[in-house]
Structure formats: C-alpha cells, structure tokens
Amino acid sequence: MIQKLKASVAVTLVLILSMTSVFASPDHTYAATVDVGAKSAILIDADTGKVLFEKEADLTLPPASMTKMMTEYLILEAIEEGTISWDTTTQISQYAYDISANPNFSGVGLKQNQDYTVRELYKAMAINSDNATTIALAELLAGTEGEFVKMMNEKAAEMELPDYEFVNSTGLNNSHLGDNFPEGTAPDATNLMSARSSALLAYHLTNDYPEALDYSSMPTAEFDGQTITNWNWMLPGMPGQLAQFSYEGVDGLKTGYTELAGNCFTGTAEQNGQRLIAVVMKSETRETRFQQTGKLFDYGFQQFEKQELFQAGYQQEEQKDMPVAKGKEDRVQVETSEALQTLVKNGEEEQYTVQYNISEDQLDEEGNLVAPVKKGQKIGTAELVYNGEDDYGNLLASNPNTVDLVTTSAVEKSNWFMLMLGNIGEFFSDIFTGAVDMVKGWF
C-alpha cells in the first residue's frame, strides 16, 4: 500500500520524525564495517535491487533536489514516447524567470524571450541542479507545474515507491516559491521521500533510461555561453580542489540541499561491471555526504562480488523429477533453465539455497503433471533464497533472482488402450481396497 502524507502537515511530520528517530530503533542492525553519519542511508545493487546495507532507510524526509530525479524520468519518458524531443524549444515563464533571477537558488541566469531546447534545459537541470530550467521543463510537458506534480505522484505510485509526496518539480520548499506554489498543494508544503524510495527511483531512472548517466556524469558543461559545474563532487575529472572528492566509477546521480532537508545525495558508481546505488539523507555538510557515500561504495565493492551460485540445469537432490499422469513414462526430470547468480557477501556462498515454486495450473488434483509434456516445458520457477542473518531484502516486489523451472525431456501421452487398462486397474484396485477395509471392520 502506497503511503502518502498530506502536504498540509508535511513539515510538522518531518520535524516529529527527525526528533523521534534519535530514540527509535531501526528495523535492521547494520554491519559494523560501515559507519555512516547521515540520519538515513541505503546501498543497493543497481542491477537487481538487492539491498546490501541500510540505516533507518524508511524515515520520510525532505529529499531537496533529489526530487529532480523524478522530473528527469518524466522528461526522458516523454522523449521516448515522442511527446517532446531533445530539439523541442520553449521560452521561460515569468515564474521560472523569477526563480532563476533569485541568487538564493541554483541558477544559470535564464533570459526571457529566448528559445531554449529541451536538451539545454535538461543539461542545466541534471548537471547544475538548476531550479528554473526544471520548472520550464515541467511547464513545457504538462502546461503547469501543478499538473506536472500530478504526473510525478502518479509515476511514483506506478513505480511502487513506498514513501513519497511530491508537491513541486524542483525540491525547493513551496514557501520558497511565493505565490507560485503549484496548484493543488499547500503554500508551506515540501517534497518528501525515504532513502528507500529515493534508491528505487534511481533504480528505475538508471535502468529504464541509462542515457540519464550521459548527462549526470559531466563534471562541467557549456550553457548559453557560460561554464556550469556539477554539484556531484565525486565525479572523476572535477575541476580544482573538488577533485579530492572523486571516486572511481561514479557517473551520477543527484545532490540535494535545503535548510530543512540538510545535505542529501543519491550516487551511483560502476566498477568491473558491477553498479551500485547509494543514498544518504540529512548529512551534516556537503563534504560529509560524499565521504559517507564513499564509505558505502567501499563496503559494496570490497565486500560483495557477483557470483554464479547455481548453474543452468541445476536439480534439487530431493526433487529431481515430477510425477506424470496419463503418460508413457510416469515421471519426468526437471531443472533450472538458467544460472542463478547474485551479489554475494564475502564468505556467505553457502547461505543460499534454491526454492521450487510449481505452477498449480500445470498439475492435476493429485499433484501430477499431465501428459503430453514437452521438453523444456515451463512448470514453475526456481528462486534463489538467502538464509543468512543480515537479510535486508530487495527493493523490488518480486525476486529478480528467479528463473524458469523446466522439464528435461518430453513425455508422450499414453494410447487409449493403455489408458483404459490403467483405469480398469484403478477401478479394481479401489474395489479390492474397499473390500479389505470392510473385512477389517468385521474383526
């Protein structure tokens, strides 16, 4: 069930959560090898959604400009669907211009009565976290930011984000927007997400639209005759003293800061074909959010390795075959169609087993497969199960470490004469069994 918070009480709830979280125990105890100072954090495998670490990941907090990940997703989706293109042009509304001219917000200095392409606006949003270009894109796609906010919340529900409330496209507090706060939201409302929801949003963004990383990975870019700089200091190739924060393989994704939110960061990095996504929320400073993310990445890359635990064709010792009714053979062997692999923590290779899930629609009332059975026929699934102590689960509703369970050979249907003989045998067997039971009852 999607949990939404009413915007009118959002700030109050955030303050309550911030106070009570100090005294509340997190759902999971996290590994002592990772000491993350942020109030909330999570680390996931970007390929499968497997959670490798979490610290109070379900606290619902302001995400600040990490909100823009949803705006990015909707823009990229619209480009894919042909609603707009990278070359579509638009001009800046008075609302977007006022935000751009405010020195308190991230801004690239937009001009009115000038055409900007979607590509230009998207680059400024993704690289420089520009708020006015974000508003301009929202207005272009939906007509008004209020209508765009509806799209954001609908997409969040579709993605099954567990904790969220979007009230604007940028991540600013609505109070920053003056009279321009989006219709249908409260003037003092703020966007809300948990670290778990932020990680799931980043999972969808990077998997559905990997081209988002082409932009988020740029340390600098040219915009309207000026150089804009990425707020993600972990990117390799950052200029000057910012290079000290660089981390191998980082190519995204989104920073965030407001006074209410504190310092937030959703980062992603790839090393040796393995991609991780980390989220830290309410970190102390700009610097510590990157340092804490580096600790999470170190833990993930050093302690976990993708391993093939069960090869294709694996068979459980206790269930190598299944009974078959009305066939020329009375049993058929079953096996996995593909290998089962996952990120495995060092030394935990033996903590995994395979669970068979046989499809009921493949069985008769007695639990038999019914001939004819084809070779390679899917009869269910084989699921990789972790039996260790530190099970943080998966962001996704279904287990991605699941493959088809198939038959290894065909079983032809028995001919009518043999089926008739079998039925006659069953008939007399039933009579004999009944007679024996009746005789037993006499004595």
Side-chain angles (χ1 to χ4, degrees), residues 12-30:
T12 302
L13 287 176
V14 170
L15 294 175
I16 293 172
L17 282 169
S18 299
M19 294 170 63
T20 57
S21 64
V22 176
F23 305 99
S25 297
D27 293 336
H28 301 286
T29 56
Y30 54 93

Side-chain angles (χ1 to χ4, degrees), residues 6 19 21 28 56 72 91 153 182 197 209 228 236 247 260-261 265 306 316-317 345 348 390-391 420:
K6 292 185 179 295
M19 294 170 63
S21 64
H28 301 286
E56 300 195 75
E72 291 180 30
Q91 294 193 357
N153 285 300
S197 290
Y209 300 107
I228 57 176
Y247 191 97
L260 186 62
F265 182 47
K306 183 171 288 186
Q316 284 186 346
E317 287 295 330
K345 191 175 181 180
E348 291 195 345
D390 296 326
D391 185 8
M420 182 182 67

Side-chain angles (χ1 to χ4, degrees), residues 70 73 154-161 200-201 204-205 208:
M70 179 60 82
Y73 188 98
E154 288 170 0
K155 183 57 65 173
E158 181 183 317
M159 291 178 177
E160 298 186 337
L161 303 190
L200 184 53
L201 173 54
H204 284 294
L205 179 59
D208 295 349

